[in-house]
Structure formats: C-alpha cells, structure tokens
Amino acid sequence: MDAISRRLLFRIGIYGFCLSLDNLVEIREQVIGLIDYRSQEARSVVGTFSFRQTKIPVLDLAPQLELLPLNSGNALILQGAEGDWALLVDHVDGFCAVSEMTDLQLPHLLQRTGWRCFDRVSLYCGKAYLCLNLAACHDGAPL
C-alpha cells in the first residue's frame, strides 16, 4: 500500500484530525524547547524550528480552534508548496487506509464563516476526524 492511500490520524486538543501521508515528512517529539518563539509571522505561526539545516515555520492551530495551548511538544513536519513547515499536535493516534474511512461533507454546525483548517469529516472506527486543509492552516502567510 503506497503512502497516498493512507492517512495519519492525530489530535489537537479534543479534536481528531487526519491528513494524507503524501504531505508528511516526519513526526517529531519533544520540540517545544527547540522552537525559536521570536519570529512570529502570522497568528498561527508561533516561531521557527531548525529542520535539516533550515529554519521552518512552526504553527499552532489551538488558538484558532479556541483550545488551550499545546503542552505535548509533538510536531508533524509537513511538506507545503513553498517548503517544509511544522504543525504542533497533542497526540498521534496512528495510521489507517483511506479505504477504511468514510468521507462526509462538513455538518452545518461546523460550516461557520471565516477561517477554518478543515474541509470535510472522515469516520474511522466510530470516531470523527476532521480532514486537514493544509493550504488553509498557514493563515495566508508564506511558508
């Protein structure tokens, strides 16, 4: 099974998210002490992180989701159109085949106007995961 047909399942606060493995570069633990918080570009960018001899932006979606700040120190290194970036997450739940998930449109309750970082819901083993829209995550700031 190739990476494109699988998804990563993870949590930010109480919310479950999923994303295609073709966007994932690496999963890192214990990164909080390695983040330079002096360079905040946009409201979701909390700083930079040194990854493979390059400074990459670190995003924390918890404030936009109206959640408490993350304490776990885990980060997903993701590949974007303009380069790599890191997303802080609380917990990685695991991986699953796309064929084992049922994709649904967002319920009306989640279709609020303004910024949102997900575009549909996927069900897996009786749990709902919001499908992360990577382009929307960075809040319009360049990666």
Side-chain angles (χ1 to χ4, degrees):
M1 187 174 290
D2 60 37
I4 295 174
S5 64
R6 295 180 62 79
R7 289 184 180 155
L8 174 70
L9 307 175
F10 61 96
R11 298 208 166 272
I12 299 174
I14 60 171
Y15 298 111
F17 287 92
C18 64
L19 63 84
S20 174
L21 287 187
D22 62 341
N23 301 114
L24 181 67
V25 176
E26 188 174 309
I27 299 171
R28 298 285 302 262
E29 296 178 342
Q30 311 276 330
V31 299
I32 294 296
L34 305 173
I35 298 171
D36 180 358
Y37 291 97
R38 295 175 292 179
S39 52
Q40 297 179 353
E41 300 172 19
R43 59 185 171 166
S44 59
V45 177
V46 296
T48 58
F49 172 74
S50 184
F51 179 70
R52 298 182 182 167
Q53 291 83 37
T54 304
K55 293 280 187 185
I56 62 173
V58 177
L59 281 72
D60 181 359
L61 299 180
Q64 276 81 342
L65 298 171
E66 299 176 3
L67 297 170
L68 295 174
L70 301 177
N71 295 320
S72 67
N74 299 319
L76 305 178
I77 309 299
L78 303 168
Q79 184 178 46
E82 298 181 30
D84 294 337
W85 55 285
L87 175 65
L88 296 177
V89 301
D90 280 314
H91 183 268
V92 173
D93 289 345
F95 304 91
C96 73
V98 172
S99 61
E100 295 176 6
M101 299 188 88
T102 303
D103 288 349
L104 305 169
Q105 296 219 357
L106 284 177
H108 184 67
L109 183 63
L110 295 177
Q111 294 178 5
R112 66 181 192 191
T113 58
W115 179 89
R116 74 170 180 251
C117 60
F118 46 88
D119 51 16
R120 64 187 184 285
V121 175
S122 287
L123 300 177
Y124 176 69
C125 293
K127 295 181 182 175
Y129 290 88
L130 299 168
C131 297
L132 201 63
N133 178 338
L134 296 181
C137 287
H138 202 270
D139 197 32
L143 288 174

